[in-house]
Amino acid sequence: MSAQKDSWVSSLLFLLFCASSIPWSGCVGLQQEPSPQHYFSGLGAGKASLAFFTPSVSPGAQPFLEQIESSAEALQDYGISVVKVNCPKEDVSRYCGKENALRKAFLFRGNRLIREFPTDALFDVNSIVANVLFALLFNEVKYVETLADLENIENVLKGKSNMVFAYVPATGTAEHRAVMEAAFVYGTIHQFVLTTEAALLKATSHDDPNVSSAWLLFCHCQRATDPAQPCRRTALGQPLTLLSIHRHLKLMGAPLVTEVAEDPEKVSTVHLQLGLPLVFILSQKETYEADRRTAEFVAWQLLGKAGVALLSRDLVNLNVLHRSNVALKTPDEGMPIQYLVLEDTDEVITLVEDRNKVKQIQEDEQQEEEEEEEDEDEKDNNNQDIQDDQVVEAVSRDKKRELPLEQILVLTEENFHSSLSEAARTVVLFYASWEAVSLAVLRSYSEVAAQLKGTPGVLLSRVNCWDWPGLCSQENVTQFPTIKIYKEGRQSVTYDGMWGTEELSSFILLSRVSCPLKLATMDEAERYLRGEFPSELSSHHHTSLLGVFSTATGGAREAFEEAGNILSGHVRMGMYFEDDASALSQKYSVSPPALLLARSGGRSVEGIALSKHSVQDMVQMIRDELLDIFPEITVPNLPQYLQLRKPFLILFSAGDISQMESEEMLKLAKGRAQQAFVACWLNLKKTPVGHGILKKYFSTTPSLPVLLWVNLHAGGQVFKFPPEQSITEMNILSWLEKLQAGLEIPSSTLSEEDWKPPLPAYDFLQMMEPPELSPHTSPHPGDTPVPHPPKRPGGDTATREEPSQESTAEEVGSPGRDLRGTAPRLAARDKQGKRHSEL
């Protein structure tokens, strides 16, 4: 049984050997022909063959025949047969003549002679295969001797095809054979160019070339559409073999950047299949264009060393830290994908070239996370961090809160101007992602976006000035945050009010309507005063202000229109100057030019004569007239009344004041016409900060309601109305006379020292250097020099290198050295990102 088994195995091995040696029929080897006549009669049209003519007995031909026979199998792969033709002694023809015996081999294509080879040039298998293929591909593989010849070929190929340029020290070598075999396979796809000139090698190599070593360049001429632009070149970094050339050409033919919309674990590219790593640039929808350019820049630097893919966070749910901006997948089976935070593209390149860098980066990130967790757990009293700023404290307290920012379009230098024209009104928040007030306003802004979702003609957007300082400087943004509303992408209005959600929403809605709104008919004017026109503002309660003009009051009308431009978004202003303006004036007992002020939905209309026609005076008069006669003081409206620089007669109440108290205070306010003081009240239930104010005035909170006279602008004295007296107009007037006569003693006196933070505040704008751009170049997302960030409490400084100014052909149009498109993109913002994860 054992003998039978051995016999069976031997038979199987023999059959496998024969099968491997027979590509299509018969055994591969040196073919024998009995005579030249028989050989030439059997040549097929277009079929190549290498023939050696020799007498039937020729001991001197044995070494050459051994090499020829060894090359037969290799040449058979390319459809070239190798034939030994026996010459009869009496044959003295061209091929069998005595002078040709043992000295030449002949390459035929059909019956046509292609090339004669001296036998000393066919000294081994490599030389035979190389020379034969070189002869057959003479018209496909260009041989060049000078740099000018090479450049001429490049110019012809630009925009059409790519070029493979190879240098070999000599023909007939193993490297020459590898190039020719590759040309035989890929010659229809790429133009192959060959040289043996060492001078040309030196002219095309940036480094000091080794003239004894073969060298290959892949020239990307198909991408060079500009005739003046040189072809990018990617060198083969491995020894010149058929396998390495095949591998290199496969990599050059792969997409420069692969866009990925699935789990990275499932992604497989030609790079991974060929044993190279794959780098993922993590992207997001709003920064796609910048991320794409960054990925292309990295791909060019890593061409032939690693693949690059653009992974969209919006399409793939990654269970990784949001600040991670780069991922690395290695071809090693079972190795997990590493997600990293890198600062610039140089680190990505180093990451690929030095695999130990991955471990170092991960260790640094882990140590940083541990240190930050310790800092969060540790409750210290660092005044530099907290100061007495309630905004900073509030932002720090909500540092892990996620904000719904999906409704807010992210603007960059690339899409800023194009996006402004997409809507009738584009609202832009200019902010800095590291600054506390900006983050607090961003929270209000996100709430406004939710309220105004679906509002026609309004687009809410934001610009992070930390990323795009050149854009913010161009738009004359000198402080953070700033909100501007652009009308059809052109003129803008800057918001200068309170940063609360209701105030911002009201400003945006009012900005949708022309200011002043020109009314064409009496009916429109009446409906406007009742708050019914225009329809988009009918559900919002605003005091309506209508300017009435005649044809003779052109100067006042022009000043009114200019005042409307200044007050746009803050005031609801209309203008009526038709022929029947006098009828409207007579109805409300005013003479043009005049203002009609409609409060409470038009139930009461007050007529005011316009005596001052300068724009500044008209703006101030309108602002003063819009103030309530007996206002409820709130945090949003307090600055408006403080600007009057008048004493406050303020009634503190634990809720709504009674009707009797309201009527008496209103009579008092109307009687004095608000010329000497501001009569107002504060509801502690709606404005809890009033408790702190009363504690500041008194050691203990007095019983409510309590009426106080406070002169914040002169002396800071606080007088308390006698609690045993009822709050009536007569009692209050009598008490005020005693105050003026100096007969009342103040209950408390406020300190004259300013309320300042315990430590000086940072001037962030001063610390941020303006970007320096050449007057001849437009800013580019990746090329804009980014200012150095300020030092943060604790002494750490986030630094960022400016992009290289190299102007080589490989870097034309490159996005720069930083990972600008990814989010967050720098270490400085990474740390802030942990505190404010919504960014």
Side-chain angles (χ1 to χ4, degrees):
M1 183 68 182
S2 177
Q4 291 179 352
K5 180 178 181 181
D6 292 341
S7 176
W8 180 84
V9 171
S10 300
S11 300
L12 177 61
L13 290 174
F14 174 76
L15 290 173
L16 288 174
F17 173 78
C18 287
S20 64
S21 304
I22 304 174
W24 55 78
S25 65
C27 288
V28 174
L30 186 65
Q31 296 183 22
Q32 302 283 340
E33 290 291 350
S35 66
Q37 292 81 3
H38 194 274
Y39 167 67
F40 286 116
S41 63
L43 290 177
K47 182 172 177 59
S49 62
L50 179 66
F52 177 73
F53 296 84
T54 180
S56 50
V57 179
S58 180
Q62 191 61 35
F64 174 67
L65 289 176
E66 291 176 358
Q67 299 299 324
I68 282 285
E69 189 168 3
S70 299
S71 67
E73 183 177 357
L75 290 175
Q76 186 83 43
D77 292 338
Y78 301 103
I80 305 168
S81 59
V82 181
V83 184
K84 177 190 172 185
V85 182
N86 295 316
C87 291
K89 290 182 180 182
E90 65 277 7
D91 191 343
V92 292
S93 64
R94 174 184 179 186
Y95 300 108
C96 284
K98 188 175 180 181
E99 68 278 4
N100 290 318
L102 300 176
R103 288 187 300 174
K104 288 184 180 180
F106 301 88
L107 179 63
F108 294 91
R109 188 189 296 275
N111 290 313
R112 185 166 61 92
L113 177 63
I114 302 296
R115 180 83 178 270
E116 295 181 8
F117 297 104
T119 53
D120 56 357
L122 307 179
F123 48 86
D124 62 6
V125 175
N126 289 328
S127 63
I128 295 172
V129 175
N131 282 298
V132 168
L133 291 179
F134 195 17
L136 288 174
L137 299 175
F138 181 77
N139 294 323
E140 286 76 21
V141 178
K142 306 293 184 183
Y143 183 85
V144 295
E145 296 181 349
T146 66
L147 183 61
D149 294 338
L150 181 65
E151 290 176 346
N152 289 336
I153 296 175
E154 278 190 334
N155 291 332
V156 172
L157 294 176
K158 285 179 180 177
K160 301 175 183 177
S161 180
N162 296 317
M163 181 176 73
V164 180
F165 172 58
Y167 162 80
V168 292
T171 58
T173 60
E175 292 85 358
H176 183 208
R177 172 185 174 180
V179 173
M180 299 316 302
E181 288 184 306
F184 194 93
V185 177
Y186 294 99
T188 57
I189 303 173
H190 310 300
Q191 175 65 64
F192 277 73
V193 178
L194 182 70
T195 189
T196 57
E197 300 295 330
L200 185 52
L201 168 65
K202 294 179 180 180
T204 55
S205 175
H206 295 291
D207 303 323
D208 186 17
N210 183 357
V211 295
S212 63
S213 300
W215 192 57
L216 183 139
L217 280 177
F218 186 90
C219 305
H220 306 266
C221 296
Q222 195 170 12
R223 293 177 177 266
T225 54
D226 184 358
Q229 178 184 355
C231 301
R232 289 177 182 262
R233 297 171 178 175
T234 305
L236 172 63
Q238 298 174 318
L240 211 61
T241 64
L242 179 59
L243 183 59
S244 65
I245 296 175
H246 167 76
R247 185 173 181 269
H248 194 61
L249 297 183
K250 290 288 286 184
L251 292 173
M252 297 303 102
L256 183 64
V257 175
T258 304
E259 297 204 21
V260 177
E262 61 177 328
D263 187 351
E265 295 284 356
K266 301 178 182 178
V267 174
S268 178
T269 66
V270 65
H271 306 87
L272 294 170
Q273 295 164 9
L274 294 177
L276 296 179
L278 181 62
V279 175
F280 294 90
I281 302 296
L282 306 189
S283 175
Q284 49 193 2
K285 179 175 61 178
E286 56 268 19
T287 58
Y288 169 80
E289 293 299 333
D291 295 341
R292 175 78 189 185
R293 285 191 299 275
T294 298
E296 289 178 353
F297 176 79
V298 172
W300 279 118
Q301 306 306 308
L302 294 177
L303 199 58
K305 302 175 184 177
V308 176
L310 192 63
L311 176 59
S312 174
R313 288 180 176 270
D314 304 305
L315 301 177
V316 181
N317 185 19
L318 295 178
N319 188 22
V320 297
L321 294 175
H322 187 67
R323 68 180 185 276
S324 298
N325 53 12
V326 171
L328 181 67
K329 183 175 183 179
T330 62
D332 305 323
E333 189 174 353
M335 289 294 293
I337 295 179
Q338 289 122 352
Y339 292 89
L340 308 167
V341 181
L342 301 183
E343 295 187 12
D344 53 44
T345 53
D346 286 337
E347 286 198 1
V348 182
I349 297 165
T350 304
L351 180 70
V352 172
E353 295 177 347
D354 182 4
R355 296 294 182 87
N356 295 327
K357 186 74 174 176
V358 179
K359 185 176 181 181
Q360 179 185 341
I361 292 174
Q362 290 179 322
E363 290 176 352
D364 292 343
E365 288 183 7
Q366 184 177 0
Q367 182 179 358
E368 182 182 332
E369 290 177 10
E370 291 174 354
E371 290 176 356
E372 291 195 359
E373 289 176 1
E374 292 175 2
D375 292 341
E376 290 180 5
D377 294 337
E378 182 181 349
K379 292 184 178 180
D380 53 24
N381 294 318
N382 189 339
N383 285 333
Q384 183 67 52
D385 277 338
I386 298 177
Q387 296 190 5
D388 64 348
D389 193 327
Q390 294 181 350
V391 176
V392 175
E393 271 195 283
V395 171
S396 179
R397 189 168 55 247
D398 293 345
K399 58 192 172 186
K400 294 184 178 179
R401 177 184 176 187
E402 294 283 347
L403 290 182
L405 302 177
E406 299 80 10
Q407 303 296 326
I408 304 174
L409 177 66
V410 176
L411 299 184
T412 67
E413 286 179 344
E414 293 296 313
N415 66 355
F416 181 80
H417 295 289
S418 61
S419 298
L420 293 185
S421 59
E422 292 181 1
R425 296 288 190 280
T426 304
V427 188
V428 184
L429 168 64
F430 298 90
Y431 70 102
S433 57
W434 42 260
E435 195 259 333
V437 178
S438 290
L439 297 178
V441 171
L442 190 60
R443 185 182 310 162
S444 300
Y445 198 58
S446 66
E447 295 172 355
V448 172
Q451 287 185 6
L452 301 184
K453 181 179 179 181
T455 302
V458 176
L459 174 66
L460 267 65
S461 60
R462 57 189 170 107
V463 174
N464 188 348
C465 292
W466 180 247
D467 281 342
W468 312 104
L471 175 58
C472 296
S473 176
Q474 177 184 331
E475 294 302 311
N476 197 29
V477 175
T478 57
Q479 63 183 13
F480 308 135
T482 293
I483 286 183
K484 291 189 175 186
I485 294 186
Y486 293 81
K487 180 181 179 182
E488 296 177 350
R490 297 189 296 274
Q491 62 188 39
S492 64
V493 176
T494 302
Y495 178 66
D496 59 359
M498 300 295 288
W499 294 111
T501 303
E502 295 303 321
E503 290 75 24
L504 283 174
S505 177
S506 174
F507 175 74
I508 294 171
L509 288 172
L510 278 177
S511 298
R512 297 174 61 202
V513 179
S514 299
C515 188
L517 178 65
K518 296 179 181 179
L519 306 173
T521 64
M522 277 281 291
D523 179 63
E524 284 186 357
E526 293 284 3
R527 289 171 55 206
Y528 176 82
L529 290 173
R530 293 195 300 269
E532 300 173 0
F533 185 87
S535 59
E536 54 262 43
L537 293 181
S538 59
S539 59
H540 299 271
H541 302 289
H542 299 284
T543 298
S544 298
L545 190 147
L546 177 63
V548 182
F549 303 93
S550 64
T551 54
T553 57
R557 189 182 70 193
E558 292 175 1
F560 186 77
E561 288 187 81
E562 184 62 30
N565 291 332
I566 296 173
L567 295 172
S568 177
H570 299 283
V571 181
R572 178 171 174 163
M573 291 175 61
M575 183 170 65
Y576 189 73
F577 57 95
E578 301 300 325
D579 295 337
D580 52 355
S582 57
L584 188 66
S585 303
Q586 291 175 4
K587 178 176 181 179
Y588 294 103
S589 304
V590 292
S591 299
L595 295 181
L596 297 179
L597 202 64
R599 307 178 193 271
S600 304
R603 286 193 294 271
S604 63
V605 179
E606 178 183 357
I608 305 166
L610 279 176
S611 56
K612 298 179 180 180
H613 295 173
S614 73
V615 175
Q616 292 80 6
D617 290 339
M618 196 168 291
V619 168
Q620 189 58 49
M621 186 201 73
I622 290 173
R623 284 175 170 165
D624 291 344
E625 291 297 337
L626 288 175
L627 296 176
D628 291 334
I629 298 175
F630 176 54
E632 177 187 355
I633 295 297
T634 61
V635 173
N637 69 14
L638 177 60
Q640 303 175 24
Y641 295 97
L642 285 176
Q643 288 176 358
L644 300 175
R645 302 191 65 82
K646 296 179 181 180
F648 275 30
L649 180 65
I650 181 168
L651 177 64
F652 288 84
S653 173
D656 293 335
I657 57 177
S658 66
Q659 183 176 356
M660 185 272 290
E661 291 169 342
S662 176
E663 292 174 354
E664 294 295 324
M665 291 292 293
L666 192 58
K667 287 192 293 183
L668 183 70
K670 288 181 177 180
R672 293 299 177 107
Q674 290 185 306
Q675 294 179 359
F677 58 86
V678 177
C680 55
W681 68 289
L682 190 147
N683 185 346
L684 294 178
K685 285 187 176 180
K686 291 175 61 176
T687 312
V689 70
H691 291 287
I693 296 174
L694 289 177
K695 289 181 180 178
K696 187 71 178 180
Y697 293 165
F698 308 101
S699 56
T700 58
T701 303
S703 57
L704 301 176
V706 58
L707 181 65
L708 303 178
W709 173 276
V710 185
N711 194 344
L712 298 173
H713 309 286
Q717 293 179 330
V718 178
F719 293 89
K720 179 181 178 183
F721 181 75
E724 64 274 6
Q725 295 186 23
S726 58
I727 298 177
T728 63
E729 179 185 12
M730 187 176 296
N731 289 341
I732 295 172
L733 288 175
S734 175
W735 177 61
L736 293 178
E737 289 177 0
K738 293 181 181 180
L739 291 181
Q740 294 177 357
L743 301 179
E744 290 288 328
I745 300 174
S747 301
S748 62
T749 302
L750 301 179
S751 173
E752 293 184 0
E753 65 177 311
D754 295 334
W755 294 354
K756 294 181 179 180
L759 295 171
Y762 292 120
D763 187 349
F764 291 109
L765 291 175
Q766 176 116 15
M767 293 180 180
M768 290 181 66
E769 300 172 0
E772 297 179 2
L773 292 175
S774 168
H776 304 293
T777 58
S778 60
H780 189 280
D783 294 332
T784 304
V786 181
H788 297 292
K791 291 185 178 180
R792 294 192 304 276
D796 62 323
T797 305
T799 61
R800 187 176 188 171
E801 294 182 0
E802 292 187 357
S804 169
Q805 298 300 319
E806 296 175 357
S807 58
T808 61
E810 288 78 1
E811 294 178 350
V812 173
S814 67
R817 297 288 185 182
D818 60 345
L819 296 178
R820 176 172 293 280
T822 55
R825 291 168 283 281
L826 290 179
R829 279 166 283 154
D830 295 340
K831 294 186 177 181
Q832 195 62 262
K834 292 178 182 178
R835 298 189 176 190
H836 309 285
S837 57
E838 68 273 11
L839 294 180

